[in-house]
Amino acid sequence: METHPPKRHLRALISVFDKEASAPLVEALHQLDIALLSTGGTHHFIRSMGIPVQSIESVTGYPSILGGRVKTLHPAIFGGILGRTTHKEDLRDMNDHDIDPIDIVVVDLYPFDQTVKAGASHSEIIEQIDVGGISLIRAAAKNFEHVLVVPGSAYFREVVDLLNKNQGKTTIRDRRSMAAAAMHVSSHYDTAIFNYLNDGTLNVFKESIDKATTLRYGENPHQQGCFYGGSTEVFEQLSGKAISYNNLLDIDAAMGLIAEFPAPTFAIIKHTNACGIASRENIEDAWELALAGDPVSAFGGVLITNTTVDSVVAKKINDLFFEVLMAPSYEDESIDLLKSKKNRILLKTKSFLMPDVRFRSILNGVLWQTSDHKNSIPELWKIQTKKKPGKDEEKDLVFANSVVKHLKSNAIAIVKDLMLLGAGSGQTSRVDALQQAVKKAREGGHDLKGAVMASDAFFPFSDSVEIAHNAGITAVIQPGGSVRDADSINYCNSAGMTMVFTGNRHFKH
């Protein structure tokens, strides 16, 4: 069903990966009497719709070659897109070479990013690098004063509405807007390819996120805020108000913390720090002990667990005012109860691996680092004291080190029986952090005798272990590395305490 449109019929070139998604747009173009020009697979699809369409090959005089790698790269195509119909010189060249203008360019690129995420082979990924499509997009965007570019299936519906509303006509403002969208698609696509191909040889920072959620405000009401990313890949919101900037910070902290614990665990987060966390065989006990860690700070916090919230624990949680509750699943009865307060945010977490890299803006640039996924493994510890940790102490030391890793520095975590008794975080000295943790534990009525302590960094003096010993703490886990490590080790030996070095610092700023 090949046709050759008259010279100044409006013409649209269509080359799309997602052909089904293009059907409404193809139909709209046809109804508006816009002549269609298309490539191989898309050409066959449009013909199957019973709509007249001209093939690229009939324009270029060349077939698709190299397994489809070269189809549209030809002056007859790019001259038609880049030709400025208001420039006499361009019109003369186009007339001399029998090039007809192309007024609309519709492209949907090969799914490179999705192919990488799907774990495809290297050769399959390379074949998903779109050359012709990206060239069409950039050419049409450059000549937006004369050409409308539609750079992906996400824009098809919008363009259908636009064309139908204006009988196929567009304004310079419309075309410039779509050109900006096209360059976004192009840059996002190129960034994904670069990050796949770059083996670290080129030390540059390139990230592109094409999903955005405008937030009510930023960290404070007078600040603007936006989240760039796909939160639906991480959780499903079951109820509650719109998630805020600060909620997202706490959610991120909670997700990172809970990932450390394989046993049923409940944690309470406040301003990105854990104020309560406990592991137990059943979630009810874990919740009660997490709350007992610091019930005052738990008010208005973010709650997270790694197991199902049943109706029994839901009734207990419901008595507390909190901002967010996160769990992988909920019993139906528990959801109904917890939804009773309309602003309360309930999230169903999905299977999700925390990112391998972290970055933040500072000064006039960006800081980049790999994530702190280093875990505490007893087999790799270096026991520094005469007294070795007992079996229960060892479990508590692992637990405490996993908690302190997620507290803001300087940080101390005091743990007993897989429960956080007290935490000191964000302090300007390690002694202050320890004193804060001891104070918190005592205010909660907890017996520190036999408790263990974790520090995110080394002790420069023996004063901290002395304070810990006087409080009843019997075992300490820390990175080690101070020139005065011997002072702390000697004190522990004289006091009958245990001290182990992990060799891994966990600063968090």
Side-chain angles (χ1 to χ4, degrees):
M1 194 179 289
E2 299 238 340
T3 62
H4 295 272
K7 275 284 183 183
R8 275 316 291 145
H9 240 96
L10 287 181
R11 292 205 305 166
L13 187 156
I14 307 175
S15 179
V16 296
F17 175 80
D18 189 347
K19 296 166 182 57
E20 291 292 338
S22 72
L25 179 55
V26 170
E27 183 65 40
L29 293 169
H30 175 59
Q31 292 298 323
L32 290 165
D33 201 27
I34 296 172
L36 306 182
L37 173 66
S38 190
T39 58
T42 309
H43 177 261
H44 293 307
F45 175 74
I46 296 173
R47 288 186 64 186
S48 73
M49 294 176 64
I51 293 176
V53 58
Q54 184 179 7
S55 70
I56 290 290
E57 291 83 354
S58 69
V59 175
T60 64
Y62 281 88
S64 172
I65 61 173
L66 305 180
R69 285 187 165 198
V70 179
K71 295 189 285 284
T72 58
L73 299 172
H74 192 279
I77 301 302
F78 280 86
I81 297 171
L82 288 165
R84 295 162 293 183
T85 54
T86 54
H87 284 53
K88 292 181 179 179
E89 295 83 358
D90 286 10
L91 289 173
R92 182 175 62 248
D93 285 344
M94 294 171 75
N95 185 63
D96 289 347
H97 297 284
D98 197 25
I99 296 173
D100 293 331
I102 295 174
D103 308 279
I104 301 172
V105 174
V106 180
V107 176
D108 185 49
L109 298 171
Y110 294 159
F112 178 85
D113 211 12
Q114 296 91 318
T115 304
V116 173
K117 290 178 180 177
S121 68
H122 176 71
S123 60
E124 290 173 320
I125 291 170
I126 293 301
E127 286 309 308
Q128 293 303 307
I129 297 178
D130 203 318
V131 177
I134 207 78
S135 301
L136 292 170
I137 284 175
R138 291 180 65 85
K142 177 175 181 176
N143 200 24
F144 71 86
E145 290 188 1
H146 306 275
V147 178
L148 173 68
V149 60
V150 188
S153 58
Y155 303 94
F156 290 173
R157 182 72 260 173
E158 177 184 348
V159 172
V160 168
D161 293 341
L162 174 67
L163 294 175
N164 284 337
K165 179 181 178 181
N166 300 302
Q167 293 78 51
K169 297 178 182 178
T170 58
T171 65
I172 185 68
R173 183 176 180 179
D174 296 330
R175 296 192 296 276
R176 180 170 180 150
S177 176
M178 292 307 297
M183 297 313 292
H184 157 64
V185 169
S186 175
S187 63
H188 180 75
Y189 197 76
D190 286 344
T191 297
I193 296 169
F194 168 80
N195 285 332
Y196 173 76
L197 293 175
N198 185 29
D199 59 3
T201 304
L202 295 172
N203 187 12
V204 296
F205 180 81
K206 288 184 184 292
E207 289 290 335
S208 178
I209 302 173
D210 62 355
K211 297 177 182 177
T213 302
T214 301
L215 305 173
R216 298 196 303 275
Y217 49 80
E219 206 160 6
N220 299 292
H222 61 275
Q223 295 172 269
Q224 295 180 347
C226 188
F227 172 63
Y228 295 95
S231 62
T232 55
E233 299 171 13
V234 184
F235 55 76
E236 174 189 357
Q237 184 167 357
L238 303 179
S239 67
K241 62 185 178 182
I243 297 173
S244 71
Y245 182 100
N246 292 331
N247 289 155
L248 284 167
L249 289 176
D250 284 336
I251 288 167
D252 177 71
M255 292 285 286
L257 175 63
I258 205 70
E260 302 278 353
F261 303 94
T265 302
F266 225 115
I268 304 171
I269 305 297
K270 197 69 173 290
H271 298 300
T272 73
N273 289 299
C275 59
I277 181 169
S279 293
R280 284 297 182 272
E281 290 184 4
N282 69 78
I283 196 61
E284 297 163 39
D285 291 343
W287 161 248
E288 290 182 349
L289 293 173
L291 179 61
D294 188 352
V296 174
S297 296
F299 183 84
V302 168
L303 319 180
I304 188 167
T305 182
N306 56 6
T307 191
T308 302
V309 173
D310 59 28
S311 58
V312 175
V313 75
K315 289 176 183 176
K316 296 178 179 180
I317 294 172
N318 196 51
D319 293 332
L320 177 73
F321 169 73
F322 61 87
E323 286 276 329
V324 182
L325 172 60
M326 308 168 67
S329 58
Y330 299 82
E331 289 184 354
D332 291 342
E333 186 179 341
S334 67
I335 292 179
D336 293 339
L337 175 63
L338 294 166
K339 279 184 176 180
S340 61
K341 297 180 180 178
K342 65 178 184 178
N343 286 333
R344 180 185 282 166
I345 298 169
L346 297 185
L347 304 180
K348 182 178 179 180
T349 55
K350 300 179 180 180
S351 179
F352 175 74
L353 295 176
M354 296 299 287
D356 290 329
V357 298
R358 293 273 172 171
F359 47 87
R360 64 166 77 174
S361 60
I362 66 159
L363 303 175
N364 61 344
V366 174
L367 274 176
W368 179 99
Q369 67 172 350
T370 57
S371 297
D372 185 2
H373 290 322
K374 200 76 174 180
N375 292 320
S376 179
I377 303 172
E379 289 76 17
L380 300 180
W381 293 348
K382 293 182 179 179
I383 300 173
Q384 302 296 315
T385 51
K386 297 174 184 176
K387 184 183 177 185
K388 297 180 180 180
K391 186 176 180 181
D392 289 339
E393 273 185 330
E394 184 178 278
K395 291 179 181 178
D396 279 345
L397 288 169
V398 171
F399 188 97
N401 202 60
S402 296
V403 172
V404 82
K405 171 181 166 183
H406 294 271
L407 297 174
K408 292 293 177 67
S409 300
N410 289 303
I412 295 288
I414 299 175
V415 166
K416 185 177 180 180
D417 297 331
L418 305 183
M419 170 191 173
L420 180 64
L421 303 185
S425 59
Q427 299 302 303
T428 52
S429 82
R430 200 150 303 282
V431 169
D432 287 343
L434 174 56
Q435 290 174 335
Q436 181 190 43
V438 170
K439 179 175 180 287
K440 282 284 187 181
R442 286 174 173 165
E443 286 176 348
H446 303 302
D447 181 8
L448 294 181
K449 187 176 181 180
V452 308
M453 173 178 74
S455 174
D456 65 331
F458 64 65
F459 297 108
F461 306 102
S462 62
D463 48 3
S464 291
V465 290
E466 184 176 352
I467 293 169
H469 173 245
N470 291 334
I473 292 167
T474 58
V476 179
I477 186 168
Q478 59 137 319
S482 169
V483 295
R484 301 185 64 171
D485 277 341
D487 293 355
S488 296
I489 294 169
N490 290 337
Y491 183 90
C492 287
N493 278 326
S494 66
M497 297 172 70
T498 298
M499 178 174 283
V500 301
F501 285 2
T502 64
N504 298 306
R505 191 181 71 183
H506 294 296
F507 269 169
K508 189 177 178 67
H509 289 84

